[in-house]
């Protein structure tokens, strides 16, 4: 007998949602940390280092995320490193996010007026203080709309993790739909769950953007 | 006599790629001396003062500041930047910090002094530029003239031996020029060594010990303001003064 979409099925979707949120958080936290390093190296002023990071960014922006997940999950397994599905996709998403966030923040760092750095240098501030106290606080503000936009993309993008057998929200929806034969209802609920996660973020992002535009008019 | 010399530039050459911005510049600045640098745009006057605190590297020649030779080492650059204050045309205050924080940051980070002492120093200099009551505000809440006075206070908080001014009044509305010039005159009267890139010839007459005219990366002519303005030697200087005085 075919089960109907009920509380148990809804609970299954909620667990999928949990994994989606967890994967997003891990990838975003990891991507932020590594992305900051990428952005700093990309703007460090050393030609060789800047080129290497440019190539790094180019590779991860220029190949499909799906392919990158395959490489981490199956490719590393071939070398004898058998990773748990969650660990594998977390690594894949982190590395991918570091390239995208790194590039967003590279732009933001370069968007901070040159005079800010010059004033800091003239005051005798070293690189670490110039970045921490002067450039990054302003760059983060500038990059906030794009960063939030990327976070929204990341939440939805985690559905690709299903490809290596990781059961997150989209995959959970597929399973429930196959069991209940109620695809419209099931995917409607799944879509609503994504929407509830993403829409407030998008709204916050565009509000930030509007406030930023206003601030730069002054 | 040697102790009296604060800055000594000898044979300084500076290129931007194939473009030569400074040609064989010699300049000696005595302690307490006030120098006004003028010249047409692109003449190298801003570049010259930016070389003194190593915002721009030089390709040839030497710069000695307070007995320390300025080379490419981090240590030498540190030493010179702690001794040299700079005020920019576009203020360059840190917009995400209050006026007080703007003034406290460098003493805490570069001079490594405590917060309480840094705040005391900051408030002292903010009072001195008559803006003490605005300490808690953000730069965007102040007028251009007020912002530039904060920038002067911020530089003074590092207790520099010399102040460099890079066209400090050029970005200001006319009615705010005076308050900034008055602050600079006050500073000059207190004995601060100053090098000012400016077209404010009234200021030059009033405070400068020496006026230097530059064109095409070279020092063309220099002299005490009276002689410099009354009887310029070079045709290039006369032409420049004619243009600038006709304008003012």
């Amino acid at each position: 007998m075919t089960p109907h979409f009920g509380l148990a099925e809804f609970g299954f979707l909620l667990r999928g949602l949990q994994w989606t949120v967890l994967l997003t958080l891990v990838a975003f936290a990891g991507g932020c940390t590594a992305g900051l390093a990428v952005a700093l190296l990309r703007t460090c002023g050393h030609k060789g280092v800047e080129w290497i990071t440019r190539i790094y960014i180019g590779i991860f922006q220029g190949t499909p995320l799906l392919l990158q997940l395959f490489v981490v999950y199956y490719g590393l397994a071939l070398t004898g490193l058998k990773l748990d599905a969650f660990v594998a996709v977390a690594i894949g998403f982190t590395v991918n996010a570091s390239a995208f966030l790194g590039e967003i923040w590279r732009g933001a760092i370069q968007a901070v007026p040159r005079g800010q750095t010059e004033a800091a240098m003239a005051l005798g501030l070293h690189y670490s203080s110039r970045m921490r106290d002067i450039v990054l606080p302003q760059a983060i503000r500038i990059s906030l709309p794009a960063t939030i936009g990327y976070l929204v993309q990341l939440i939805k993008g985690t559905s690709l993790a299903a490809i290596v057998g990781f059961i997150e929200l989209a995959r959970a929806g597929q399973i429930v739909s196959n069991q209940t034969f109620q695809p419209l209802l099931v995917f409607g609920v799944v879509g609503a769950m994504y929407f509830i996660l993403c829409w407030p973020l998008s709204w916050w992002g565009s509000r930030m953007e509007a406030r930023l535009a206003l601030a730069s008019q002054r | 006599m040697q102790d009296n010399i604060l800055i000594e530039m000898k044979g300084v050459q500076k290129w931007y790629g194939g473009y030569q911005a400074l040609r064989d510049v010699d300049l000696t600045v005595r302690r307490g001396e006030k120098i006004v640098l003028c010249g047409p745009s692109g003449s190298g006057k801003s570049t010259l003062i930016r070389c003194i605190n190593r915002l721009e590297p030089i390709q040839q020649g030497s710069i000695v500041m307070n007995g320390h030779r300025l080379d490419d080492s981090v240590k030498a650059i540190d030493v010179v930047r702690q001794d040299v204050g700079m005020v920019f045309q576009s203020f360059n205050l840190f917009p995400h910090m209050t006026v007080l924080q703007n003034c406290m940051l460098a003493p805490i980070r570069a001079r490594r002094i405590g917060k309480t002492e840094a705040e005391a120093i900051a408030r002292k200099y903010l009072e001195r530029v008559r803006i003490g009551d605005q300490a808690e505000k953000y730069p965007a809440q102040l007028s251009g003239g007020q912002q530039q006075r904060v920038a002067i206070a911020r530089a003074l908080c590092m207790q520099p031996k010399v102040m460099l001014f890079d066209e400090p009044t050029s970005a200001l509305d006319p009615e705010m020029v005076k308050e900034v010039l008055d602050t600079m005159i006050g500073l000059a009267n207190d004995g601060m060594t100053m090098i000012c890139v400016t077209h404010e010839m009234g200021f030059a007459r009033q405070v400068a010990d020496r006026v230097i005219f530059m064109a095409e990366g070279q020092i063309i002519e220099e002299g005490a303001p009276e002689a410099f303005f009354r009887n310029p030697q070079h045709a290039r200087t006369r032409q420049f003064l004619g243009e600038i005085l006709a304008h003012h």
Side-chain angles (χ1 to χ4, degrees):
Chain A
M1 136 186 180
T2 318
H4 272 273
F5 186 77
L7 260 185
E9 283 71 21
F10 187 71
F12 188 70
L13 291 185
L14 273 184
R15 275 198 299 285
L17 177 66
Q18 260 176 12
W19 283 111
T20 288
V21 170
L22 188 66
L23 181 58
T24 302
L25 289 179
V26 169
F28 191 65
C32 281
T33 314
L36 181 61
V38 169
L40 290 176
L41 291 174
R42 184 74 181 78
T43 56
C44 70
H46 186 286
K47 283 275 179 301
V49 175
E50 290 191 2
W51 258 102
I52 292 168
T53 40
R54 173 182 281 190
I55 291 167
Y56 175 88
I57 291 168
I59 287 173
F60 286 100
Q61 287 196 339
T63 58
L65 175 56
L66 190 59
L67 205 76
Q68 295 162 22
L69 293 179
F70 278 153
V71 169
V72 176
Y73 190 62
Y74 298 113
L76 290 184
L78 281 180
T79 68
L81 194 64
K82 189 81 184 103
L83 294 175
D84 174 60
F86 179 76
V87 177
V89 292
I91 291 173
F93 276 104
T94 295
V95 175
N96 184 267
S98 75
F100 277 89
L101 289 172
E103 187 64 0
I104 289 172
W105 294 341
R106 190 270 311 155
I109 286 172
Q110 288 175 344
V112 175
R114 174 86 193 136
Q116 292 287 305
T117 302
E118 285 187 348
M121 288 198 290
L123 285 165
L125 297 175
H126 285 180
Y127 178 80
S128 63
S129 169
R130 290 202 303 268
M131 279 296 157
R132 196 165 34 127
D133 298 319
I134 310 300
V135 177
L136 289 180
Q138 297 183 60
I140 286 169
R141 230 170 276 194
I142 293 170
S143 74
L144 214 47
T147 305
I148 295 166
Y150 179 74
L151 177 58
V152 171
Q153 290 299 319
L154 183 64
I155 292 173
K156 293 182 292 184
T158 53
S159 61
L160 273 182
I163 212 76
V164 296
F166 183 71
I167 301 172
E168 39 63 66
L169 181 53
R171 177 76 184 131
Q174 202 182 11
I175 291 170
V176 172
S177 162
N178 286 347
Q179 288 171 345
T180 60
F181 296 112
Q182 292 173 295
L184 278 184
L185 176 62
V186 174
F187 287 121
V189 172
V190 167
M193 284 176 170
Y194 275 116
F195 185 79
I196 288 166
L197 275 185
C198 294
W199 188 76
L201 281 172
S202 294
W203 177 81
W204 185 44
S206 46
R207 217 183 60 143
M208 281 309 214
E209 201 169 342
R211 270 175 48 181
L212 213 67
L214 210 68
S216 65
Q217 272 171 18
R218 267 195 309 207
Chain B
M1 194 62 209
Q2 200 67 14
D3 292 345
N4 235 344
I5 292 171
L6 187 58
I7 302 170
E8 192 162 34
M9 303 175 82
K10 270 191 186 153
V12 171
Q13 317 267 3
K14 158 94 192 154
W15 283 272
Y16 291 108
Y19 173 76
Q20 188 164 11
L22 292 179
R23 293 167 197 267
D24 206 23
V25 169
D26 293 320
L27 176 65
T28 305
V29 183
R30 283 177 282 108
R31 284 177 206 281
E33 197 175 16
K34 287 95 186 124
I35 292 176
V36 164
L37 271 175
C38 61
S41 71
S43 59
K45 51 201 194 303
S46 287
T47 306
L48 191 154
I49 63 170
R50 290 164 59 89
C51 288
I52 294 175
N53 66 350
R54 193 48 171 65
L55 286 184
E56 304 283 354
I58 61 172
Q59 276 77 41
Q60 256 184 56
S62 68
I63 301 175
V64 176
M65 160 81 207
N66 199 29
H68 301 279
R69 192 185 157 126
L70 178 57
D71 52 33
D72 286 346
S73 72
V74 176
K75 179 126 202 318
I77 295 173
D78 267 3
V79 168
V80 77
R81 284 185 182 159
Q82 294 208 2
D83 281 347
V84 178
M86 189 168 206
V87 175
F88 299 85
Q89 180 176 358
S90 48
F91 324 141
N92 294 346
L93 293 178
F94 306 131
H96 57 299
M97 296 181 184
T98 63
V99 163
L100 188 64
Q101 289 167 338
N102 261 277
C103 293
M104 288 169 61
L105 180 69
I108 290 173
R109 290 272 193 257
R111 284 229 191 273
R112 308 216 163 270
I113 65 174
K115 250 189 152 163
T116 328
E117 196 189 340
E119 182 172 340
I121 293 171
R123 290 201 186 275
K124 179 178 112 184
Y125 285 111
L126 285 171
E127 280 305 325
R128 182 155 158 195
V129 300
R130 290 171 297 108
I131 208 152
D133 51 337
Q134 317 273 6
E136 320 301 332
K137 287 192 178 169
Y138 284 89
Q141 295 170 287
L142 304 181
S143 74
Q146 289 173 321
Q147 288 190 51
Q148 195 59 301
R149 284 188 280 142
V150 172
I152 293 172
R154 180 177 69 175
L156 289 175
C157 285
M158 284 294 281
Q159 295 165 320
K161 295 190 167 62
V162 55
M163 287 282 284
L164 309 175
F165 292 86
D166 190 0
E167 305 205 29
T169 57
S170 302
L172 294 174
D173 291 332
E175 74 271 20
M176 292 169 186
V177 170
K178 189 177 178 305
E179 65 185 67
V180 171
L181 288 180
D182 284 346
T183 306
M184 292 167 64
I185 291 167
L187 205 56
N189 291 339
D190 289 348
M192 176 62 79
T193 311
M194 294 163 67
I195 305 178
C196 311
V197 173
T198 182
H199 291 159
E200 295 293 337
M201 292 303 136
F203 171 80
R205 274 179 211 275
Q206 197 175 339
V207 307
D209 298 310
R210 239 191 314 163
V211 182
I212 295 176
F213 174 73
M214 288 183 74
E216 282 141 24
Q218 279 177 306
I219 293 180
I220 303 286
E221 178 165 0
E222 60 175 274
E226 269 311 301
F228 180 87
F229 289 116
R230 189 178 304 156
N231 192 16
Q233 301 297 306
H234 287 260
R236 196 77 188 73
T237 318
R238 280 195 292 273
Q239 185 198 346
F240 173 76
L241 287 176
E243 281 162 10
I244 208 157
L245 295 177
H247 196 74
H248 277 260

